[in-house]
């Protein structure tokens, strides 16, 4: 009863923290129900952040001199949306369902010198405007040269473009001030209700001219008048951005019935342009890794079976021969390593990360974390990390108890603080840089406070509960006795040098994921959707097998060389794949990204450092447990006096 009450208290605290994370914006659970609309029902378009793949610094829509409503209302945002810089607000773009509108004036502005300079900088950095209608993001359809190829959709519309007038070499900045929206809907055959299934736009830059005096939104325009059939179909006379030069914003909206059903409306958005290459590369990578894993497993099983039979037969012979190989170090192989408490901390943290990743992938496969739930993936990962603290404490204390340690509280505190503390410190520095750039990507104080509350209010108590339960259980018994005096380790060949073997061990696990890593990095840094979680889960399983088998093989060779210090090396062997991940991220930065700002580069490498550190903890823990199981298995299988 007491345990149930404690769990309820933690759940209530988590709900309160999430409410706090959204600040005044509130909080809603992931998942959006379909909305039905009748003819002439109002459709409110919401604006989101301004985003750029060149700077990776999001900004609020109204940080630029765009048309503002009388009162700006923030929409409800979850923790994940706030962390990724989403700022969803209302706009002056309001449609009526199935009611086309042409040449609608939004407003007229005259940016001052500073505002014009800001607009030019944003156009230079290729910033895009992001809008949302019925939870669908605004996309720009891009026709491919191959007529049979499907249309590609770019998320968001560019603020403007750089160009030159005919006969001039001087580059000018032109703003997209006219949008032609297309809203596609699927109509119910039995009723007059309809659901929105697509939200597209074509941008134009047009220098509007009022026909007479300015009368607000009712002013007729010489350049856009549906009554005289003057519509915006090109950008022959574009609108230049300059200080104190007037800009008139207009839009058209058309409605088109579509056979696409509401449940399938995201399928078009998620279609990848290079899907065949993507699928072939993943399958090819998986087949290679599976083949190598099968070979490793077969060699290990045959070799071990022969070794164990040989050692057991030697015990039956009267003229016992001198022991050689891995059996010779049976009295030292389970001797506690140096810095055993730190190893326990990292193993516990790896268990926490493994549990979080496994459950997240399962949720994603079930469709609970689809791209339509903005911020849902990040929110789920944070909450799962917090609640997996129970398993982190249990794993670290169980291992520490086996090492016959007594200061379990110190190990528990380190488990709760070390990894998240290092990540939080890096995140805090990066957030300060984002705040210095006045970007909306800077995490607000309330959200930062919520993260700290989740950490110290829920995660740390759960780590202590897990540690208490783990330390209270009887310690695991070693299959062989440990000698009081450690034996000397003979000189090892160069290829069994710790640095060499550790670096070699990380290549195969990285090879299992580097193809998928390309698409994950593209999704994050080039603002594309990532959705094939089924393949990602398969890659995750292959990663586990690869980490386990390469660590077991190298551990076996190490023990055969009479080197019994395997504890830390087993962790570092597969954990070194994080080094290759960071090197690949560096290669990706210089070959695929166009980041030029120093702050943006620091942000990229800072976040990739966090990702590599997490990957090190994950793969290192998998390799450690594989080697731990392997050593206990082989030394319990031979007869030792």
């Amino acid at each position: 009863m007491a345990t149930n009450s404690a769990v309820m208290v933690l759940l209530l605290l988590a709900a309160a923290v999430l409410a706090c994370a959204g600040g005044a914006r509130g909080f809603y659970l992931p998942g959006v129900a379909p909305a039905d609309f009748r003819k002439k029902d109002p459709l409110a378009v919401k604006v989101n952040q301004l985003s750029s793949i060149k700077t990776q610094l999001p900004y609020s829509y109204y940080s630029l001199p765009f048309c503002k409503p009388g009162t700006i209302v923030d929409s409800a945002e979850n923790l994940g949306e706030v962390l990724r810089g989403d700022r969803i607000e209302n706009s002056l773009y309001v449609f009526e369902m199935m009611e086309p509108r042409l040449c609608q004036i939004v407003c007229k502005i005259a940016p001052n010198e500073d505002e014009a300079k800001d607009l030019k900088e944003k156009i230079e950095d290729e910033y895009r405007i992001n809008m949302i209608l019925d939870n669908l993001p605004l996309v720009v359809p891009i026709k491919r040269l191959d007529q049979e190829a499907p249309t590609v959709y770019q998320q968001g519309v560019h603020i403007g473009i750089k160009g030159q007038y005919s006969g001039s070499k001087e580059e000018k900045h032109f703003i997209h001030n006219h949008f032609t929206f297309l809203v596609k809907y699927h109509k119910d055959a039995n009723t007059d209700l309809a659901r929105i299934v697509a939200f597209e736009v074509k941008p134009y830059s047009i220098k509007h001219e009022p026909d007479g005096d300015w009368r607000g939104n009712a002013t007729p325009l010489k350049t856009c008048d549906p009554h005289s059939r003057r519509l915006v179909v090109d950008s022959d006379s574009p609108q230049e951005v300059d200080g104190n030069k007037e800009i008139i914003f207009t839009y058209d909206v058309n409605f088109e019935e579509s056979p696409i059903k509401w449940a399938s409306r995201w399928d078009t958005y998620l279609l990848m342009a290079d899907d065949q290459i993507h699928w072939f590369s993943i399958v090819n990578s998986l087949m290679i890794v599976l083949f190598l894993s099968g070979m490793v497993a077969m060699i290990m099983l045959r070799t071990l079976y022969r070794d164990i039979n040989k050692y057991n037969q030697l015990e039956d012979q009267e003229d016992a021969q001198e022991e050689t190989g891995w059996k010779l170090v049976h009295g030292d192989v389970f001797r506690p390593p140096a810095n055993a408490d730190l190893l326990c901390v990292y193993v516990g943290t790896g268990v926490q990360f493994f549990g979080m990743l496994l459950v997240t992938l399962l949720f994603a496969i079930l469709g609970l974390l689809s791209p339509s739930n903005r911020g849902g993936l990040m929110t789920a990962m944070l909450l799962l990390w917090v609640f997996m603290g129970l398993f982190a404490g249990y794993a670290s204390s169980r291992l520490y108890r086996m090492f016959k340690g007594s200061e379990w509280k110190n190990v528990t505190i380190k488990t709760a603080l070390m990894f998240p503390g290092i990540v939080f410190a890096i995140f805090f520095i990066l957030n300060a840089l984002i705040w210095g750039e006045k970007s909306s990507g800077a995490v607000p104080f309330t959200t930062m406070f919520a993260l700290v509350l989740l950490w110290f209010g829920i995660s740390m108590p759960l780590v202590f509960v897990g540690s208490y339960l783990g330390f209270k259980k009887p310690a695991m018994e070693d299959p062989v006795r440990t000698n009081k005096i450690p034996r000397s380790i003979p000189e090892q060949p160069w290829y069994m040098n710790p640095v060499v073997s550790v670096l070699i061990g990380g290549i195969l696990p990285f090879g299992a994921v580097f193809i998928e890593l390309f698409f994950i990095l593209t999704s994050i840094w080039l603002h594309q959707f990532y959705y094939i979680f089924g393949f990602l889960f398969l890659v995750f399983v292959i990663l586990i097998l690869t980490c386990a088998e390469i660590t077991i093989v190298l551990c076996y060779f190490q023990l055969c060389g009479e080197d019994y210090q395997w504890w830390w090396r087993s962790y570092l062997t597969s954990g070194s794949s994080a080094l290759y991940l960071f090197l690949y991220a560096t290669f990706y930065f210089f070959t695929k990204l166009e980041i030029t700002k120093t702050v943006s580069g620091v942000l990229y490498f800072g976040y990739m450092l966090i990702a590599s550190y997490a990957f090190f903890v994950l793969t290192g823990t998998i390799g450690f447990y594989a080697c731990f199981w392997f050593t206990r298995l082989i030394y319990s299988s031979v007869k030792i006096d």
Side-chain angles (χ1 to χ4, degrees), residues 1-17 387 453-454 457-458 461-462:
M1 186 67 181
T3 304
N4 292 337
S5 300
V7 172
M8 286 299 296
V9 169
L10 290 174
L11 288 173
L12 289 173
L13 182 57
V17 168
F387 288 109
L453 197 57
L454 281 171
I458 301 178
L462 286 175

Side-chain angles (χ1 to χ4, degrees), residues 313-484:
Q313 288 171 5
L314 286 175
E315 291 295 329
D316 296 335
Q317 295 175 4
E318 294 182 1
D319 50 339
Q321 301 177 18
E322 183 182 356
E323 296 175 355
T324 57
W326 55 266
K327 187 184 176 185
L328 189 61
V329 295
H330 67 83
D332 298 276
V333 73
F334 292 105
R335 187 181 305 280
N339 300 314
D341 54 344
L342 185 62
L343 179 63
C344 296
V345 168
Y346 271 104
V347 169
T349 303
V351 169
Q352 186 176 9
F353 197 81
F354 179 85
M356 177 204 72
L357 201 57
L358 179 63
V359 178
T360 300
L361 286 175
L362 291 176
F363 281 174
I365 290 173
L366 295 174
L368 301 176
L369 301 174
S370 68
S372 60
N373 301 327
R374 289 180 308 276
L377 180 63
M378 189 173 292
T379 303
M381 292 179 71
L382 281 171
L383 288 179
L384 286 170
W385 168 267
V386 167
F387 288 109
M388 288 296 167
L390 184 72
F391 299 98
Y394 183 84
S396 62
S397 64
R398 286 290 289 154
L399 187 61
Y400 187 66
R401 182 71 188 275
M402 194 191 75
F403 290 150
K404 298 179 174 56
S406 57
E407 300 293 330
W408 68 275
K409 292 181 181 178
N410 291 338
V411 173
T412 303
I413 293 174
K414 290 179 182 178
T415 304
L417 297 181
M418 181 169 289
F419 178 83
I422 293 173
V423 170
F424 188 82
I426 299 174
F427 176 73
F428 187 83
I429 295 171
L430 296 178
N431 192 64
L433 293 175
I434 298 173
W435 179 79
E437 294 291 320
K438 298 179 181 179
S439 167
S440 66
V443 177
F445 172 77
T446 51
T447 306
M448 194 72 76
F449 176 75
L451 293 174
V452 174
L453 197 57
L454 281 171
W455 180 10
F456 288 97
I458 301 178
S459 180
M460 182 176 281
L462 286 175
V463 173
F464 266 93
V465 172
S467 291
Y468 174 76
L469 295 175
F471 200 77
K472 192 171 67 172
K473 292 191 69 174
M476 290 180 286
E477 295 294 333
D478 296 332
V480 291
R481 292 192 303 271
T482 301
N483 298 332
K484 293 183 179 180

Side-chain angles (χ1 to χ4, degrees), residues 224-294:
C224 188
D225 186 356
H227 301 293
S228 58
R229 296 185 178 180
R230 287 196 299 267
L231 302 177
V232 177
V233 293
D234 55 39
S235 297
D236 283 344
S237 56
Q239 175 64 59
E240 187 179 334
V241 177
D242 208 350
N244 302 312
K245 185 175 287 188
E246 291 184 346
I247 302 173
I248 299 174
F249 287 89
T250 57
Y251 71 92
D252 302 331
V253 56
N254 295 298
F255 291 85
E256 180 183 298
E257 189 169 358
S258 171
I260 300 173
K261 294 185 178 180
W262 186 88
S264 305
R265 66 179 187 166
W266 276 87
D267 293 354
T268 305
Y269 292 70
L270 300 178
L271 181 66
M272 302 189 71
D274 51 356
D275 54 348
Q276 290 183 344
I277 299 174
H278 177 83
W279 291 80
F280 174 77
S281 299
I282 293 176
V283 172
N284 184 56
S285 176
L286 294 180
M287 292 302 295
I288 293 173
V289 173
L290 282 172
F291 175 72
L292 292 174
S293 300

